[in-house]
Amino acid sequence: MFERNLTLLTDLYELTMMQGYFKEQDHDKVVVFDVFYRSNPCNNGYSIAAGLEQVIDYIKGLHFSYEAVDYLRGLHIFDEDFLHYLSGYHFSGDIYAIPEGSVIFPREPLIKVIAPIMEAQLIETALLNIINHQSLIATKTARVVYAASGGGIMEFGLRRAQGPDAGLYGARAAMIGGCVGTSNVLAGQLFDVPVMGTHAHSWIMSFPDEYHAFKAYANLYPDACTLLVDTYDTLKSGVPNAIRVFREMKESGIPLKNYGIRLDSGDLAYLSKKARKMLDEAGFPDAKIAASNDLDEYLIHDLKQQGAAIDVWGVGTHLITSKDCPSFGGVYKLAAMQDETGTFIPKIKLSENTEKITNPGNKTIFRIYDKESGKIRADLICFADEKFDESKDLLIFDPIETWKKTKLKGGTYTMREMLVPVFIRGECVYQSPTVMEIAEYCKKEKETLWDETKRLFYPHKVYVDLSDKLYAVKKQLLDKMSVNEE
Amino acid sequence: MFERNLTLLTDLYELTMMQGYFKEQDHDKVVVFDVFYRSNPCNNGYSIAAGLEQVIDYIKGLHFSYEAVDYLRGLHIFDEDFLHYLSGYHFSGDIYAIPEGSVIFPREPLIKVIAPIMEAQLIETALLNIINHQSLIATKTARVVYAASGGGIMEFGLRRAQGPDAGLYGARAAMIGGCVGTSNVLAGQLFDVPVMGTHAHSWIMSFPDEYHAFKAYANLYPDACTLLVDTYDTLKSGVPNAIRVFREMKESGIPLKNYGIRLDSGDLAYLSKKARKMLDEAGFPDAKIAASNDLDEYLIHDLKQQGAAIDVWGVGTHLITSKDCPSFGGVYKLAAMQDETGTFIPKIKLSENTEKITNPGNKTIFRIYDKESGKIRADLICFADEKFDESKDLLIFDPIETWKKTKLKGGTYTMREMLVPVFIRGECVYQSPTVMEIAEYCKKEKETLWDETKRLFYPHKVYVDLSDKLYAVKKQLLDKMSVNEE
């Protein structure tokens, strides 16, 4: 019902390069591309991987329709033999990925594509688009959820999202990151997640007065009755009218469930404390106070510190756009190419900026946990065929500041390979969990972080190290390249 | 081919309110809702309206499928009579809008919906989602285009856009705002706009060396050959290899057209000046220099000031996400309700923040141009049935600082009604121009702005005034409300 052919959702240069490979190189030459990112958004201590299910749908749906080929023909830059190849294109490679909801760190391959060069090149743009977007929103959500320290976060951002998909898949990512529900009905339907909402100012304004608007709403929705109290005057009109309706409902024998008020303007600390007092004194200590109005993790953090009596938070614009950092810098870099013998030859991209130098080779990642606490000690990037023995000591070191070393004593740590097979020889071998299952897994993933890594400001960095073997190859390539250059 | 049913792309509260109206109010009661915004993104002096064509598609496609009704039934908050109404829902109202590509200003109704209350309520969220997104990107683009002062801007942001739609419709909006092309192939196909691109680092890395990669590319694409020169070392390797290839192509008798280099890292001012000199000295003064790498209007403005020799700019993340201001604050507010006699009764929403008080009534906007220069003197919001005579003097005044008055002498100004009919009684009466036609119109629209309004920093504000009649009604409502409150 919601499928679209996204095959042309790619940068033109992917196609011009593909034609170049088609004409100049061995079509079947297999390469390795890594998706990774260089820094966590919002200066967070970690990120949350999200979007894999949509990547899978995209890969499965890849095919150039007759119309697509015809459009490309009309650009007058592609030859018939290449267009013919495109009309038979399908993805025949392998894809490995870190499961959605996992906590992730900079420089790790989140997705690894092993495929003939033309097939691998095409999918760069869409992969990055999908993963960058959802990982961004899941990560931002994790920050907002952390700030609310137990208070539920409702995703309310659809109207400010950057287009329908940003609202829809943003809501999906927000649920993965820890929201308790979304206002987005389509997201509710497609992803089977809780939908939530109250009413708008227009509801109040369409009635002769606020009291009648509240009363009508309470009669209609006694099981989920949150009244918006700021249309006219929050403390003088809204809260007293809400209390009057709560009381009348109670007296009439229709007890309200999941009821309360929503504040949407003014000083939320002051108003929530005043409103809490009024509700308590009127005998409604179980009435919940929801708040909305340009909230983000910083404001929620401050409001909590000031003792705001807010139980539930509706977060819109700031969450759905990740307003202070609206992009996730995932990139897609060539890491290796098979030679004639089938051996992967590591490839590296230089840069004057050391952080931008890529990690070469066909790699994987192991997460190293402290055996006792279950918390993450470090991540280790290594070649895909390296083996480790948890009973032995493991020396790990920072790939840039190589003098920073740690020796992990054998028996005190456990290792888990993070990349799992998703496509093998073009066949999908992975079944995505439901969004609520991913959300549950994500919650557990966050528990593997030390508190120091979770805090909003200046979090402690988790080490992502290279194996000895990988570091040696990288250094060798760097040395060789610098000689070659002049 | 690219149609989706977006009927459920709405906030849950629109549906719970609809059921409320269905049960509590006259179904056919007609209301007026306005879409407007309160401030220009990025502190710009104006915004660009965009997204109307997608709003039209959305309205035309509105219907609750069997699956949608079934999903809503499963939420256990909607009654069968209301679900039955939904299954027959279609939009039967009127919609007026400012055409896409128009320059717009805060507080003006960009879209006006006149429809039975239930129909008007449902469409709030999707309308805002679409208009907010595209108007944001069109406006951001106008800023970037202004900064480049004649140099072409290529939209390169797909991989960092917030999901597929953000890339696709963001590219559309970027073309409206003034880009010369986009890398997004799907946008090229769907909107018939120019697609552009070069090649990536992976192209270079897949060849034994940079020279052979360049040579292969030039042979393939002699008519559009921009070589990326920063894979290894821009000035020592990239530019010399590019010059070698340009020279060989020239000597071989295949002259390159639209050729040049692209810089993607390092100091773009320094490198572009050095590269320009090298290209000129080698006899390639017509080789163009393109630049990319985290560009925005501020950096482009600075690079231009420093004499960077850059002809074309590839702008990605900052444009496609409007990074420093990733949301456009369009809102949807009830402005009037018909009474039993069919008369529109103006409605107002109060707020402690004067800027947030709405303008009541069924309104329209007139743009007032200086007759001689064709530049905008002011915009005037008035009731839809007000008439003006351009030959007579017109006194306009600021709706908040009412002591700020200007008298426009009769005969020195012309007036143009900005809202045009798009749907009348549910029928679409508007034919969207093509995206390139809208872009052309937008260019002319920008010429109606004074230079002072177009500058990037602290632009001059364009006055948006209320008519005498509208101001009088607003004041009367405000006075009445404040008395009513206690």
Side-chain angles (χ1 to χ4, degrees), chain B residues 75-91:
Chain B
L75 295 177
H76 304 296
I77 46 179
F78 300 110
D79 293 340
E80 283 305 318
D81 53 353
F82 176 64
L83 293 172
H84 181 75
Y85 158 81
L86 285 186
S87 60
Y89 175 99
H90 69 280
F91 183 79

Side-chain angles (χ1 to χ4, degrees), chain A residues 4 8 10-13 16 121 124 129 132 158-159 162 165 183 185-186 198 202 221 236 321 326 486, chain B residues 4 8 10-13 16 121 124 129 132 158-159 162 165 183 185-186 198 202 221 236 326 486:
Chain A
R4 294 171 294 178
L8 287 191
T10 190
D11 290 312
L12 180 67
Y13 80 177
T16 52
Q121 190 71 62
E124 170 177 21
N129 173 279
N132 278 337
L158 177 53
R159 64 190 58 195
Q162 297 194 347
D165 282 342
S183 64
V185 182
L186 189 56
T198 57
S202 54
Y221 303 110
K236 288 185 190 161
T321 65
E486 195 77 6
Chain B
R4 294 170 294 177
L8 287 191
T10 190
D11 289 313
L12 181 67
Y13 80 0
T16 51
Q121 189 72 60
E124 169 177 24
N129 174 279
N132 279 336
L158 177 54
R159 65 191 57 195
Q162 297 194 347
D165 282 342
S183 64
V185 182
L186 189 56
T198 58
S202 55
Y221 303 110
K236 288 185 188 159
E486 193 78 5

Side-chain angles (χ1 to χ4, degrees), chain A residues 1-2 4-6 8-17 19-21 23-25 29 33 67-68 71-72 75 77-78 117 121 124-125 128-130 132-133 136 158-168 183-186 188-189 193 195-203 205-207 216-217 220-221 231-233 236-237 262 293 317 320-323 326-331 333-334 337 347-350 356 481 485-486, chain B residues 1-2 4-6 8-17 19-21 23-25 29 33 67-68 71-72 75 77-78 117 121 124-125 128-130 132-133 136 158-168 183-186 188-189 193 195-203 205-207 216-217 220-221 230-233 236-237 262 293 317 320-321 323 326-331 333-334 337 347-350 356 481 485-486:
Chain A
M1 157 202 153
F2 217 72
R4 294 171 294 178
N5 184 347
L6 295 178
L8 287 191
L9 191 81
T10 190
D11 290 312
L12 180 67
Y13 80 177
E14 313 288 12
L15 290 164
T16 52
M17 283 191 280
Q19 175 165 264
Y21 298 137
K23 293 193 178 283
E24 301 284 332
Q25 301 203 1
K29 192 193 294 186
F33 274 95
E67 291 77 18
Y71 166 71
L72 294 176
L75 295 177
I77 46 179
F78 299 110
I117 188 164
Q121 190 71 62
E124 170 177 21
T125 315
L128 291 178
N129 173 279
I130 293 166
N132 278 337
H133 171 231
L136 175 72
L158 177 53
R159 64 190 58 195
R160 300 287 170 85
Q162 297 194 347
D165 282 342
L168 184 60
S183 64
N184 187 328
V185 182
L186 189 56
Q189 184 197 21
V193 296
V195 286
M196 298 178 168
T198 57
H199 56 77
H201 297 113
S202 54
W203 172 264
M205 290 159 73
S206 74
F207 282 80
Y217 198 84
L220 271 165
Y221 303 110
T231 305
Y232 303 115
D233 186 301
K236 288 185 190 161
S237 168
R262 176 161 73 101
N293 191 23
T317 312
I320 205 70
T321 65
S322 186
K323 192 162 182 179
S327 71
F328 189 91
V331 295
K333 296 291 175 190
L334 183 67
M337 291 183 87
K347 291 277 176 177
I348 196 163
K349 181 196 169 297
L350 289 187
K356 284 201 169 183
M481 298 296 260
E485 258 177 74
E486 195 77 6
Chain B
M1 158 204 150
F2 217 72
R4 294 170 294 177
N5 185 347
L6 295 178
L8 287 191
L9 191 80
T10 190
D11 289 313
L12 181 67
Y13 80 0
E14 313 289 11
L15 291 165
T16 51
M17 282 191 282
Q19 175 165 264
Y21 299 138
K23 294 193 177 283
E24 300 285 332
Q25 301 202 2
K29 193 195 293 188
F33 273 95
E67 291 77 17
Y71 166 71
L72 293 175
L75 295 177
I77 46 179
F78 300 110
I117 189 163
Q121 189 72 60
E124 169 177 24
T125 315
L128 292 178
N129 174 279
I130 294 167
N132 279 336
H133 172 231
L136 176 72
L158 177 54
R159 65 191 57 195
R160 300 288 170 85
Q162 297 194 347
D165 282 342
L168 183 60
S183 64
N184 186 329
V185 182
L186 189 56
Q189 184 197 20
V193 296
V195 286
M196 297 178 170
T198 58
H199 56 78
H201 297 113
S202 55
W203 173 263
M205 291 159 72
S206 74
F207 282 80
Y217 198 84
L220 271 164
Y221 303 110
D230 77 329
T231 305
Y232 302 115
D233 186 299
K236 288 185 188 159
S237 169
R262 175 160 72 100
N293 190 23
T317 312
I320 206 69
T321 65
K323 192 162 183 178
S327 71
F328 189 91
V331 295
K333 295 292 175 190
L334 183 67
M337 292 182 87
K347 290 276 174 178
I348 197 164
K349 180 196 169 300
L350 290 188
K356 284 199 169 185
M481 298 295 261
E485 258 177 75
E486 193 78 5

Side-chain angles (χ1 to χ4, degrees), chain A residues 249-467:
Chain A
M249 295 300 288
K250 200 173 178 180
E251 287 166 357
S252 74
I254 310 169
L256 295 175
K257 281 184 278 183
N258 305 316
Y259 73 108
I261 60 169
R262 176 161 73 101
L263 305 169
D264 189 42
S265 60
D267 190 279
L268 297 175
Y270 170 78
L271 291 175
S272 66
K273 285 188 271 190
K274 283 277 185 191
R276 181 75 272 158
K277 199 155 171 279
M278 290 163 78
L279 289 164
D280 288 351
E281 286 173 0
F284 300 102
D286 55 339
K288 294 266 186 291
I289 299 182
S292 49
N293 191 23
D294 255 346
L295 294 171
D296 65 10
E297 68 268 42
Y298 307 103
L299 183 51
I300 291 174
H301 177 265
D302 264 19
L303 287 168
K304 296 284 285 188
Q305 282 212 322
Q306 298 188 331
I310 295 167
D311 305 291
V312 202
W313 310 79
V315 184
T317 312
H318 287 270
L319 190 153
I320 205 70
T321 65
S322 186
K323 192 162 182 179
D324 60 340
C325 178
S327 71
F328 189 91
V331 295
Y332 187 81
K333 296 291 175 190
L334 183 67
M337 291 183 87
Q338 257 177 2
D339 66 8
E340 303 72 36
T341 71
T343 311
F344 281 113
I345 309 300
K347 291 277 176 177
I348 196 163
K349 181 196 169 297
L350 289 187
S351 172
E352 286 173 38
N353 181 340
T354 310
E355 281 288 308
K356 284 201 169 183
I357 296 175
T358 58
N359 285 320
N362 178 15
K363 304 177 296 293
T364 192
I365 315 159
F366 284 94
R367 180 150 295 168
I368 306 167
Y369 298 96
D370 183 65
K371 203 168 185 173
E372 209 173 279
S373 63
K375 305 281 186 199
I376 298 173
R377 292 202 62 170
D379 274 12
L380 183 71
I381 308 179
C382 60
F383 288 116
D385 56 4
E386 286 191 73
K387 299 272 174 266
F388 299 91
D389 181 347
E390 294 175 4
S391 69
K392 296 214 173 109
D393 291 359
L394 183 65
L395 184 74
I396 56 177
F397 58 93
D398 188 284
I400 292 166
E401 300 160 289
T402 49
W403 59 91
K404 291 190 181 169
K405 297 180 189 179
T406 314
K407 190 193 261 179
L408 303 174
K409 233 182 124 49
T412 69
Y413 65 91
T414 60
M415 294 179 87
R416 168 190 171 203
E417 187 166 0
M418 295 303 290
L419 285 172
V420 301
V422 177
F423 282 86
I424 296 294
R425 286 183 294 280
E427 288 300 314
C428 183
V429 297
Y430 183 80
Q431 174 65 48
S432 282
T434 67
V435 172
M436 293 312 288
E437 283 167 356
I438 298 171
E440 195 53 39
Y441 165 72
C442 183
K443 206 171 154 188
K444 290 200 187 100
E445 276 286 287
K446 287 189 264 180
E447 285 165 14
T448 65
L449 295 166
W450 303 91
D451 285 343
E452 291 78 357
T453 300
K454 286 191 273 190
R455 69 174 168 245
L456 293 181
F457 307 97
Y458 305 101
H460 182 74
K461 221 175 102 178
V462 171
Y463 289 105
V464 177
D465 298 326
L466 304 189
S467 71

Side-chain angles (χ1 to χ4, degrees), chain B residues 123-347:
Chain B
I123 65 177
E124 169 177 24
T125 315
L127 243 66
L128 292 178
N129 174 279
I130 294 167
I131 294 294
N132 279 336
H133 172 231
Q134 290 198 44
S135 300
L136 176 72
I137 304 306
T139 305
K140 181 69 171 179
T141 304
R143 287 176 63 78
V144 177
V145 167
Y146 179 84
S149 56
I153 303 292
M154 301 179 291
E155 188 286 300
F156 276 1
L158 177 54
R159 65 191 57 195
R160 300 288 170 85
Q162 297 194 347
D165 282 342
L168 183 60
Y169 298 111
R172 180 182 187 276
M175 291 306 300
I176 290 173
C179 277
V180 297
T182 173
S183 64
N184 186 329
V185 182
L186 189 56
Q189 184 197 20
L190 292 180
F191 308 127
D192 196 16
V193 296
V195 286
M196 297 178 170
T198 58
H199 56 78
H201 297 113
S202 55
W203 173 263
I204 308 292
M205 291 159 72
S206 74
F207 282 80
D209 60 44
E210 194 178 46
Y211 161 73
H212 284 96
F214 284 175
K215 189 67 186 274
Y217 198 84
N219 274 319
L220 271 164
Y221 303 110
D223 294 343
C225 177
T226 302
L227 303 174
L228 178 61
V229 291
D230 77 329
T231 305
Y232 302 115
D233 186 299
T234 302
L235 297 179
K236 288 185 188 159
S237 169
V239 179
N241 277 326
I243 288 173
R244 180 177 165 196
V245 168
F246 296 158
R247 186 172 291 139
E248 288 174 3
M249 295 300 288
K250 200 174 179 180
E251 287 165 359
S252 75
I254 310 169
L256 296 173
K257 282 182 276 182
N258 305 315
Y259 73 108
I261 61 168
R262 175 160 72 100
L263 305 169
D264 189 42
S265 60
D267 189 279
L268 297 176
Y270 171 78
L271 291 174
S272 67
K273 285 188 270 191
K274 282 278 184 187
R276 181 74 272 161
K277 200 155 171 280
M278 292 163 78
L279 289 165
D280 289 351
E281 287 174 0
F284 300 102
D286 54 339
K288 294 266 187 291
I289 300 181
S292 49
N293 190 23
D294 255 348
L295 295 171
D296 64 10
E297 68 268 41
Y298 308 103
L299 184 51
I300 292 175
H301 177 265
D302 264 19
L303 288 168
K304 296 283 285 188
Q305 282 211 323
Q306 297 187 332
I310 296 167
D311 305 293
V312 202
W313 310 80
V315 185
T317 312
H318 286 270
L319 190 153
I320 206 69
T321 65
S322 185
K323 192 162 183 178
D324 60 339
C325 178
S327 71
F328 189 91
V331 295
Y332 188 81
K333 295 292 175 190
L334 183 67
M337 292 182 87
Q338 257 179 2
D339 67 8
E340 302 73 35
T341 70
T343 311
F344 281 113
I345 309 300
K347 290 276 174 178

Side-chain angles (χ1 to χ4, degrees), chain A residues 49-53 98-102 134 172 176 430 432 438 441:
Chain A
L52 182 58
E53 185 174 1
I98 297 183
E100 292 191 86
S102 298
Q134 291 198 43
R172 180 182 187 276
I176 290 174
Y430 183 80
S432 282
I438 298 171
Y441 165 72

